[in-house]
């Protein structure tokens, strides 16, 4: 029995598909995606960025393939990275075929703009022959002409109708290894469209607020939109679309999932905004700790609280905690229990040491559990 039922999120049951070695849908963890912004034809730059994105915690990486040179480069890129690659395809069915044969794990297409049914069949055959899934990507900014004429403007019903129409195209060819997205830059439109689509199909849903903007506004819009849907149990994989370094997209995506207890990865810091009561400089301390602890992938909670008003209470619920005290003497907590006083000048090194020790302990416990099973 869960002692905190208010934290429970009942996820919508969806079909399971494979994107390379990553399983999407059903009871599988919600995956985080991002997309390269290098020229795909610049093979080394693209490989470097994919590795950085993956290293930050992305499960899947998308790469744009606008021309034949890009799909040729994709083959070499895929050989050199250890993460499933989604090929982003628009309009040109041959690019989709080339990407599938080059080793892409998934094709992001809109079947309705690929062309004739014969072209679509060729794309589906290439996907099937190469164990490649398909994401049906519907965007408010690129709806079919007849759907726009019917609804006059992008609306939830228009996005869902487009998605279901494109799903039907694939299903008519007996292809069901697919996931769907209905993205908009409008938070309200996106939420409403995904809610409707989740009732109309049980395929996995890829969530995103498209073209969300620069780092701060884009992160907030994405957190509101994607977070709302995730709380309702909707969504199997997410991408944060920012006009920024793709690594920032991954960071925000992981933080959204961590805040909802849908992902456990790395150090989760609980920290106060600081005030005149603080016994040490909380804001600077948190920034330094985030950087010094970024290498830790084991899920750990750390509380950094400037005074004793909330410090002991927060520390009681975290693996490691530090609470500010008078005259630079701060209290260290381990597993919720007071451990020792630490002077401010030694505090960061001590906290890093204790978090690393805890991470090692948890990792060893995980390994023992895996071996015993």
């Amino acid at each position: 029995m869960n002692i905190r039922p208010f934290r429970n999120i009942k996820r919508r049951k969806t079909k399971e598909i494979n994107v390379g070695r990553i399983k999407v849908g059903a009871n599988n963890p919600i995956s985080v995606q991002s997309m390269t912004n290098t020229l795909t034809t610049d093979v080394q730059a693209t490989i470097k960025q994919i590795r950085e994105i993956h290293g930050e915690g992305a499960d899947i990486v998308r790469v744009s393939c606008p021309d034949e040179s890009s799909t040729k480069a994709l083959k070499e890129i895929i050989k050199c990275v250890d993460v499933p690659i989604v090929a982003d395809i628009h309009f040109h069915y041959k690019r989709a075929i080339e990407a599938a044969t080059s080793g892409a794990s998934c094709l992001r297409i809109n079947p309705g703009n690929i062309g004739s049914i014969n072209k679509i069949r060729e794309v589906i055959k290439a996907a099937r022959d190469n164990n490649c899934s398909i994401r049906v990507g519907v965007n408010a900014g690129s709806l079919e002409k007849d759907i726009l004429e019917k609804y006059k403007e992008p609306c939830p019903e228009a996005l869902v109708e487009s998605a279901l129409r494109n799903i039907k195209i694939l299903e008519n060819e007996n292809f069901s290894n697919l996931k769907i997205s209905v993205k908009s830059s409008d938070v309200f439109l996106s939420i409403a469209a995904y809610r409707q689509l989740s009732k109309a199909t049980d395929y996995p849903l890829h969530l995103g607020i498209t073209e969300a903007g620069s780092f701060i506004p884009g992160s907030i819009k994405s957190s509101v939109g994607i977070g709302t849907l995730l709380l309702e149990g909707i969504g199997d994989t997410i991408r944060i679309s920012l006009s920024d370094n793709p690594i920032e997209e991954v960071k925000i995506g992981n933080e959204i999932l961590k805040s909802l207890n849908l992902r456990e990865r790395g150090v989760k810091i609980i920290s106060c905004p600081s005030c005149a009561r603080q016994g040490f400089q909380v804001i600077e301390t948190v920034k330094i700790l985030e950087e010094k602890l970024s290498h830790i992938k084991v899920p750990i909670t750390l509380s950094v609280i400037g005074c004793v008003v909330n410090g002991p209470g927060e520390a009681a619920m975290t693996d490691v905690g530090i609470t500010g005290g008078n005259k630079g003497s701060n209290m260290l907590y381990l597993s919720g229990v007071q451990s020792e006083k630490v002077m401010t000048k030694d505090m960061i090194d001590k906290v890093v040491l204790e978090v690393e020790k805890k991470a090692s302990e948890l990792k060893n416990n995980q390994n023992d559990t895996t071996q015993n099973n």
Side-chain angles (χ1 to χ4, degrees):
M1 178 179 174
N2 193 329
I3 62 172
R4 298 185 181 93
F6 57 86
R7 290 183 178 177
N8 292 347
I9 294 176
K10 186 178 180 181
R11 284 183 62 191
R12 163 183 165 270
K13 187 73 172 178
T14 58
K15 295 179 179 179
E16 180 181 273
I17 70 165
N18 293 321
V19 179
R21 57 182 172 78
I22 300 295
K23 293 184 181 298
V24 173
N27 295 319
N28 295 296
I30 295 168
S31 56
V32 175
Q33 300 188 27
S34 184
M35 185 174 180
T36 58
N37 58 17
T38 55
L39 285 173
T40 306
T41 50
D42 188 339
V43 173
Q44 292 308 314
T46 303
I47 289 171
K48 180 176 183 291
Q49 191 172 70
I50 290 172
R51 288 173 175 170
E52 290 171 349
I53 293 169
H54 185 210
E56 195 59 46
D59 306 290
I60 299 167
V61 179
R62 183 153 50 111
V63 175
S64 183
C65 295
D67 48 42
E68 188 176 1
S69 297
S70 296
T71 52
K72 284 182 178 178
L74 192 65
K75 189 169 188 177
E76 184 62 30
I77 291 165
I78 289 171
K79 288 179 183 177
C80 299
V81 298
D82 186 31
V83 62
I85 298 297
V86 177
D88 192 70
I89 309 293
H90 291 277
F91 306 114
H92 303 292
Y93 81 104
K94 286 187 178 179
R95 303 294 85 80
I97 294 169
E98 292 160 2
T101 55
S102 290
S105 297
C106 180
L107 304 176
R108 187 277 188 205
I109 63 170
N110 189 330
N113 68 28
I114 287 293
S116 69
I117 188 63
N118 287 332
K119 291 179 179 178
I120 294 170
R121 283 172 179 158
E122 287 191 52
V123 172
I124 291 172
K125 183 179 186 303
R128 185 180 283 119
D129 290 348
N130 292 280
N131 195 28
C132 190
S133 59
I134 288 176
R135 170 157 75 90
V136 174
V138 175
N139 277 354
S142 55
L143 288 168
E144 294 92 328
K145 184 178 179 181
D146 66 311
I147 289 180
L148 271 179
E149 289 176 352
K150 176 180 178 179
Y151 292 100
K152 309 306 180 189
E153 66 175 4
C155 63
E157 292 76 15
L159 267 69
V160 172
E161 183 172 325
S162 177
L164 295 177
R165 174 189 291 182
N166 285 292
I167 291 169
K168 188 65 175 173
I169 292 171
L170 298 178
E171 288 182 333
N172 285 344
E173 300 301 319
N174 296 314
F175 190 90
S176 59
N177 186 21
L178 60 96
K179 54 183 176 171
I180 321 157
S181 62
V182 281
K183 293 185 179 183
S184 167
S185 58
D186 181 277
V187 172
F188 297 94
L189 175 52
S190 297
I191 291 173
Y194 276 110
R195 281 173 174 164
Q196 287 188 24
L197 186 60
S198 71
K199 295 174 182 176
T201 181
D202 62 354
Y203 286 111
L205 298 185
H206 170 82
L207 303 187
I209 306 297
T210 194
E211 295 145 359
S214 59
F215 181 73
I216 292 177
S219 298
I220 292 170
K221 285 176 68 175
S222 298
S223 298
V224 172
I226 294 173
T228 297
L229 292 165
L230 291 173
L231 275 168
E232 295 176 10
I234 297 170
D236 302 282
T237 177
I238 67 173
R239 190 257 172 120
I240 313 300
S241 298
L242 301 177
S243 302
D244 209 307
N245 190 319
I247 289 173
E248 301 302 326
E249 297 185 349
V250 181
K251 289 179 180 177
I252 298 301
N254 276 310
E255 287 301 324
I256 291 172
L257 294 178
K258 283 163 68 176
S259 72
L260 297 174
N261 295 329
L262 290 169
R263 190 178 184 101
E264 295 183 341
R265 185 182 188 275
V267 182
K268 184 177 182 179
I269 298 180
I270 293 91
S271 61
C272 68
S274 80
C275 69
R277 293 190 303 267
Q278 66 181 0
F280 57 87
Q281 294 297 317
V282 173
I283 295 173
E284 287 305 311
T285 298
V286 170
K287 287 179 180 178
I288 294 169
L289 287 172
E290 282 181 333
E291 184 175 346
K292 286 184 174 288
L293 297 173
S294 62
H295 64 289
I296 293 178
K297 309 306 178 189
V298 178
I300 291 177
T301 53
L302 165 65
S303 59
V304 182
I305 310 295
C307 74
V308 296
V309 173
N310 292 323
E314 293 292 352
M317 295 185 287
T318 55
D319 295 310
V320 179
I322 193 76
T323 297
N326 293 327
K327 298 179 181 179
S329 181
N330 314 293
M331 181 56 69
L332 177 72
Y333 293 76
L334 300 177
S335 301
V337 179
Q338 285 189 8
S339 174
E340 61 183 287
K341 288 186 176 181
V342 181
M343 299 305 293
T344 299
K345 64 181 180 64
D346 304 317
M347 185 178 65
I348 288 175
D349 288 343
K350 181 64 174 177
V351 170
V352 170
L353 175 65
E354 294 299 337
V355 171
E356 288 179 336
K357 282 169 61 178
K358 187 66 176 180
S360 179
E361 174 190 325
L362 292 172
K363 189 173 183 179
N364 289 336
N365 290 341
Q366 288 176 357
N367 292 338
D368 289 343
T369 301
T370 302
Q371 290 173 2
N372 289 335
N373 289 339

